């Protein structure tokens, strides 16, 4: 039997944002560089261009301390709200926003997105555009019916969430409940973009191990349907590099674009 998901209190006490970023995204060695970013960034770019997903406001749920998932979104949304449970993640994101010298260096990933968009020479402009679009940094809790309680967030055009829901959710029923609660946060006809890993049970941030819900293909699509969404697009891909399964043991990736019914 898979271990239970790491508790919220353990995340609050033990999660080190900089350790996670260095483990996952550092240039020349991050576990998720290429393997994850090479999957999710093209899917997001395509969704925000050919897929026609755009609007006034995008809500990024469970942002962590990451910016990569917002680099294409900032071209087609006027306002971006980022959110995370952990104060340390929100503080680390704020460092990048304010150009703190101690902020994580995302240059290599920004360059990759600019290359996808055919505009590699304008990486600094891309970073500044994203900074200008981020209007709020909120605390969120996926397990609450209103994840932003006591704050009321008006319905948005799109919710995006990457590598998040497998952390707070203990099983697919809990995952489906989170999707149902998202319905209240999305405008009629609005979009939900969720991406994560398949068949994983844990990952590391530095030397700390965190257990996650195991997401399986056959369960995911049913969860979206049970939560009342129309699935627009689903992409699955296997993990290619399995040399560091001791750091994170997922064996695939998924990207799901769903839509709230009008």
């Amino acid at each position: 039997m898979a271990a239970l998901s790491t508790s919220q209190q353990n995340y609050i006490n033990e999660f080190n944002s900089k350790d996670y970023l260095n483990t996952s995204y550092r240039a020349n060695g991050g576990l998720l560089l290429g393997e994850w970013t090479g999957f999710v960034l093209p899917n997001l770019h395509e969704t925000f261009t050919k897929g026609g997903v755009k609007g006034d406001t995008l809500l990024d749920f469970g942002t962590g301390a990451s910016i990569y998932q917002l680099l294409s979104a900032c071209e087609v949304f006027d306002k971006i709200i980022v959110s995370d449970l952990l104060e340390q993640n929100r503080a680390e994101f704020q460092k990048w926003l304010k150009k703190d010298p101690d902020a994580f260096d995302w240059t290599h990933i920004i360059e990759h997105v600019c290359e996808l968009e055919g505009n590699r020479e304008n990486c600094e402009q891309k970073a500044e555009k994203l900074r200008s679009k981020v209007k709020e940094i909120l605390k969120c809790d996926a397990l609450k019916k209103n994840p932003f309680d006591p704050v009321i967030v008006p319905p948005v055009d799109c919710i995006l969430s990457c590598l998040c829901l497998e952390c707070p959710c203990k099983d697919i029923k809990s995952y489906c409940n989170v999707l149902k609660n998202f319905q209240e946060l999305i405008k009629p006809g609005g979009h939900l973009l969720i991406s994560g890993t398949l068949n994983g049970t844990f990952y590391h941030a530095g030397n700390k191990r965190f257990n996650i819900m195991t997401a399986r293909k056959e369960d995911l699509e049913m969860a979206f349907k049970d939560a009342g969404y129309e699935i627009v697009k689903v992409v699955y891909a296997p993990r290619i590099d399995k040399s560091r399964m001791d750091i994170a043991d997922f064996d695939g990736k998924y990207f799901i674009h769903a839509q709230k019914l009008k």
Side-chain angles (χ1 to χ4, degrees), residues 36-238:
W36 170 252
T37 56
F39 169 76
V40 74
L41 293 176
N43 275 296
L44 288 170
H45 168 61
E46 185 174 305
T47 300
F48 295 131
T49 51
K50 294 176 186 174
V53 174
K54 59 185 177 180
D56 176 58
T57 305
L58 176 137
L59 169 60
D60 187 32
F61 193 90
T63 303
S66 299
I67 72 160
Y68 68 88
Q69 70 278 16
L70 302 172
L71 290 164
S72 289
C74 74
E75 299 292 336
V76 293
F77 287 90
D78 298 324
K79 175 182 177 181
I80 292 174
I81 302 169
V82 301
S83 61
D84 202 78
L85 173 70
L86 301 183
E87 182 181 354
Q88 56 266 45
N89 278 341
R90 301 193 303 272
E92 188 65 36
F93 187 95
Q94 190 79 257
K95 283 183 183 179
W96 180 83
L97 211 57
K98 294 185 173 180
K99 300 186 182 180
D100 187 309
D102 187 46
F104 186 78
D105 184 3
W106 290 98
T107 304
H108 52 298
I109 292 181
I110 297 171
E111 287 176 349
H112 177 54
V113 173
C114 288
E115 198 169 282
L116 280 174
E117 296 175 356
N119 200 13
R120 183 161 186 167
E121 67 275 9
N122 283 328
C123 292
E124 189 52 43
Q125 289 179 22
K126 166 69 81 176
E128 288 309 305
K129 179 173 277 191
L130 175 53
R131 287 186 176 101
S132 74
K133 296 292 182 76
V134 176
K135 305 301 184 183
E136 292 183 84
I137 301 176
L138 301 178
K139 181 179 180 180
C140 66
D141 182 344
L143 301 182
K144 291 184 176 180
K145 183 165 179 57
N146 171 13
F148 301 101
D149 184 52
V151 176
I152 304 297
V153 176
V156 300
D157 301 283
C158 180
I159 291 180
L160 168 65
S161 189
C162 295
L163 296 177
C164 170
L165 298 188
E166 288 79 17
C167 298
C169 298
K170 64 180 181 179
D171 52 31
I172 199 66
K173 182 180 178 182
S174 172
Y175 185 104
C176 184
N177 284 338
V178 174
L179 298 183
K180 287 177 181 177
N181 292 338
F182 281 170
Q183 288 268 6
E184 301 298 315
L185 297 168
I186 304 173
K187 294 177 182 176
H191 301 271
L192 177 60
L193 310 174
I194 308 283
S195 198
T197 56
L198 292 169
N199 304 314
T201 63
F202 71 87
Y203 71 95
H204 280 81
N207 60 7
K208 292 283 186 182
R209 172 177 164 142
F210 297 90
N211 295 325
I212 59 174
M213 181 198 95
T214 300
R216 299 181 177 88
K217 288 181 186 179
E218 58 271 22
D219 295 331
L220 287 168
E221 291 180 54
M222 187 60 68
F224 277 81
K225 290 171 183 172
D226 287 349
Y229 294 91
E230 179 182 351
I231 294 178
V232 178
K233 178 182 177 182
V234 182
V235 184
Y236 299 116

